[in-house]
C-alpha cells in the first residue's frame, strides 16, 4: 500500500502535470523520481506531442545510475508502446527503477499494459493511488480515450425555478454580464460548441467566444450543428472563423464518433432543451454547467423536456463538483453520479 509520503508525492506529480498543454492530443502527465532514502532526485512532465514523456523527462534530471533502486511516482500508468517516442516502461527498466507508483490506468488499446510488464520484469508496482483525483484532472482526455468520443458538457442558464425564458419567449438576459463572460471563456476552452438547427433558425447564434468588449478570443471552438434542416446562407454561423460541421442528429453516439474522427475531443453543448434533453436521455453527458439567476419566471419554458424519467426513483442524480458565484448568479458544475 502506498505510504503517506508517496501520496504526497503523487500530488506533487499532479502539480507538475498541470504544466503541460491543456488541449493537446496527449494526456498531461507528471512524474517524480525518489531515491531509496526519500530524496527527490528528478521531476518532469509531458510538454506536448513529440516531446519526452514525463517519466523520461524526470529521469533526465537524475545523475548517472542515481535512479537505480529508486521509486517513480507518476500520474498515469507508464506507456508500453512506441509512438513518436519510445515506451516509458523501457526507460524505467533501463534506469533500474525498483518501484513504480501510478494513479490512473492507461485506457489506450496500444499504450496500456505498462504496469503488467513492469511487474513481470521484477519491478514493485502499485496502481490506483489518488486515482479519482487524477481521473478528474484528466477529464476530457480520459473520456475520449475510454469511450472513443468527445467529452460532452452541456450548459444552460436559467432562473432559480429552471426557466430559460419568460412566458413570451424573451430570454436576454436571464443571467448577468459576469456569467456571460464566464460562459464565453468556457467556450474557448472546448474544441467545439454545438446547438440544434432549431436554435440556429430561431436565434441565429454566432457560436464564437468573445471578451466583454465583443472581441474574439484567441481560442475559438469549432461550430457544430445537430439536425437535418438547411442552415441559411446568411446565418451568422457562416461568418465563424472556423468551418462549420453539421451532423444529422439521428444517432447521437454515431455523431460523436464522427466528431472524434474530425479531431473534436471536447464538445460544449449550448443548444435548446430539445438537443440537451436528447443528450441527457441518451446518457451521453459527462458534465453539466448551469448558471442560476436569483430570479423567478414561472411558465413552461424549461431547461429540459423529456429525459426518460417517469418516477422519482428514475431521477438522474448528479454530483456537484463546484459552486462559484459569477456576479449575482451562481455557476454549478456537476457530473453524473457514479462517474
Amino acid at each position: 500500500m502506498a505510504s503517506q509520503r508517496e501520496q504526497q508525492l503523487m500530488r506533487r506529480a499532479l502539480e507538475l502535470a498541470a504544466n503541460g498543454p491543456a488541449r493537446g492530443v496527449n494526456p498531461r502527465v507528471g512524474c517524480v523520481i525518489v531515491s531509496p532514502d526519500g530524496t527527490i532526485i528528478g521531476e518532469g512532465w509531458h510538454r506536448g506531442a513529440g516531446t519526452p514523456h514525463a517519466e523520461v523527462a524526470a529521469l533526465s534530471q537524475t545523475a548517472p545510475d542515481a535512479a537505480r533502486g529508486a521509486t517513480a511516482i507518476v500520474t498515469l500508468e507508464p506507456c508500453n508502446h512506441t509512438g513518436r517516442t519510445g515506451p516509458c516502461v523501457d526507460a524505467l527498466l533501463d534506469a533500474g527503477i525498483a518501484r513504480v507508483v501510478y494513479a490512473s490506468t492507461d485506457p489506450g488499446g496500444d499504450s496500456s499494459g505498462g504496469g503488467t510488464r513492469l511487474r513481470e520484469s521484477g519491478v514493485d508496482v502499485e496502481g490506483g493511488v489518488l486515482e479519482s483525483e487524477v481521473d478528474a484532472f484528466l477529464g476530457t482526455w480520459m473520456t475520449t480515450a475510454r469511450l472513443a468520443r468527445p467529452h460532452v458538457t452541456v450548459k444552460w442558464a436559467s432562473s432559480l425555478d429552471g426557466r430559460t425564458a419568460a412566458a413570451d419567449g424573451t430570454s436576454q438576459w436571464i443571467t448577468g454580464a459576469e456569467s456571460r463572460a464566464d460562459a464565453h471563456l468556457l467556450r474557448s476552452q472546448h474544441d467545439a460548441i454545438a446547438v440544434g438547427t432549431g436554435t440556429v433558425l430561431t436565434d441565429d447564434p454566432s457560436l464564437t467566444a468573445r471578451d466583454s468588449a465583443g472581441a474574439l478570443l484567441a481560442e475559438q471552438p469549432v461550430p457544430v450543428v445537430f439536425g437535418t434542416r438547411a442552415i441559411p446562407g446568411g446565418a451568422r454561423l457562416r461568418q465563424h472563423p472556423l468551418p462549420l460541421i453539421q451532423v444529422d442528429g439521428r444517432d447521437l453516439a454515431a455523431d460523436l464518433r464522427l466528431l472524434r474522427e474530425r479531431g473534436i475531443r471536447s464538445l460544449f453543448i449550448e443548444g435548446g432543451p430539445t438537443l440537451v434533453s436528447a443528450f441527457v436521455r441518451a446518457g451521453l453527458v459527462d458534465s453539466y454547467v448551469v448558471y442560476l439567476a436569483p430570479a423567478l419566471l414561472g411558465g413552461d419554458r424549461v431547461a429540459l423536456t423529456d429525459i426518460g424519467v417517469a418516477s422519482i426513483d428514475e431521477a438522474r442524480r448528479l454530483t456537484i463538483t463546484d459552486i462559484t458565484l459569477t456576479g449575482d448568479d451562481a455557476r454549478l458544475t456537476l457530473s453524473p453520479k457514479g462517474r
Side-chain angles (χ1 to χ4, degrees):
M1 183 175 180
S3 66
Q4 185 175 5
R5 169 65 171 162
E6 287 176 334
Q7 292 184 41
Q8 292 173 342
L9 291 170
M10 183 64 76
R11 288 200 165 86
R12 172 56 184 164
L14 188 54
E15 291 176 358
L16 293 169
N19 292 319
R23 292 177 62 179
V25 297
N26 296 111
R28 292 190 289 175
V29 180
C31 179
V32 178
I33 308 295
V34 190
S35 69
D37 67 3
T39 303
I40 295 176
I41 57 175
E43 294 184 333
W45 65 89
H46 185 48
R47 298 171 184 267
T51 66
H53 287 190
E55 298 93 322
V56 175
L59 287 169
S60 70
Q61 291 191 348
T62 65
D65 293 326
R68 196 157 300 280
T71 296
I73 312 287
V74 59
T75 55
L76 184 66
E77 178 185 17
C79 69
N80 189 35
H81 82 302
T82 299
R84 294 188 185 182
T85 59
C88 291
V89 167
D90 288 354
L92 294 169
L93 291 173
D94 290 345
I97 292 290
R99 176 169 165 80
V100 172
V101 178
Y102 67 86
S104 299
T105 300
D106 191 329
D110 296 328
S111 56
S112 62
T116 298
R117 185 166 163 230
L118 286 166
R119 288 188 187 94
E120 292 173 346
S121 301
V123 177
D124 181 24
V125 178
E126 181 171 353
V129 177
L130 302 187
E131 183 175 16
S132 60
E133 292 183 31
V134 174
D135 278 358
F137 169 78
L138 288 172
T140 295
W141 181 87
M142 189 62 80
T143 300
T144 301
R146 285 175 174 167
L147 303 178
R149 65 162 175 80
H151 181 101
V152 175
T153 299
V154 298
K155 168 262 177 183
W156 68 77
S158 71
S159 60
L160 192 61
D161 55 344
R163 271 57 182 180
T164 57
D168 64 358
T170 55
S171 60
Q172 293 185 334
W173 296 103
I174 290 177
T175 53
E178 293 89 345
S179 293
R180 298 196 296 275
D182 189 72
H184 275 274
L185 181 61
L186 287 180
R187 286 183 178 189
S188 73
Q189 294 169 352
H190 287 76
D191 292 336
I193 180 172
V195 295
T197 51
T199 296
V200 173
L201 297 175
T202 301
D203 297 338
D204 191 24
S206 64
L207 298 188
T208 52
R210 303 179 300 277
D211 64 19
S212 57
L216 292 177
L217 297 177
E219 296 287 343
Q220 291 293 319
V222 174
V224 175
V225 175
F226 286 81
T228 58
R229 285 181 285 179
I231 299 172
R236 289 200 292 169
L237 275 178
R238 302 290 188 187
Q239 301 169 23
H240 196 286
L242 298 177
L244 167 69
I245 298 175
Q246 184 170 9
V247 291
D248 63 29
R250 293 190 180 97
D251 184 336
L252 296 180
D255 290 339
L256 289 178
R257 290 193 295 270
L258 176 62
L259 292 175
R260 174 64 185 84
E261 292 170 2
R262 299 283 295 270
I264 304 300
R265 291 176 172 78
S266 57
L267 182 66
F268 194 59
I269 298 180
E270 283 198 5
T274 300
L275 181 64
V276 171
S277 298
F279 270 90
V280 175
R281 190 166 55 248
L284 293 172
V285 180
D286 302 297
S287 58
Y288 295 78
V289 176
V290 180
Y291 293 91
L292 287 179
L296 302 174
L297 292 174
D300 59 359
R301 306 278 183 153
V302 293
L304 294 176
T305 56
D306 176 26
I307 59 171
V309 173
S311 70
I312 194 66
D313 293 337
E314 298 174 357
R316 295 176 183 257
R317 301 291 181 179
L318 307 177
T319 298
I320 297 174
T321 58
D322 180 69
I323 300 177
T324 298
L325 294 181
T326 51
D328 292 333
D329 309 317
R331 183 192 70 202
L332 275 66
T333 306
L334 312 98
S335 61
K337 213 167 189 64
R339 287 197 190 177

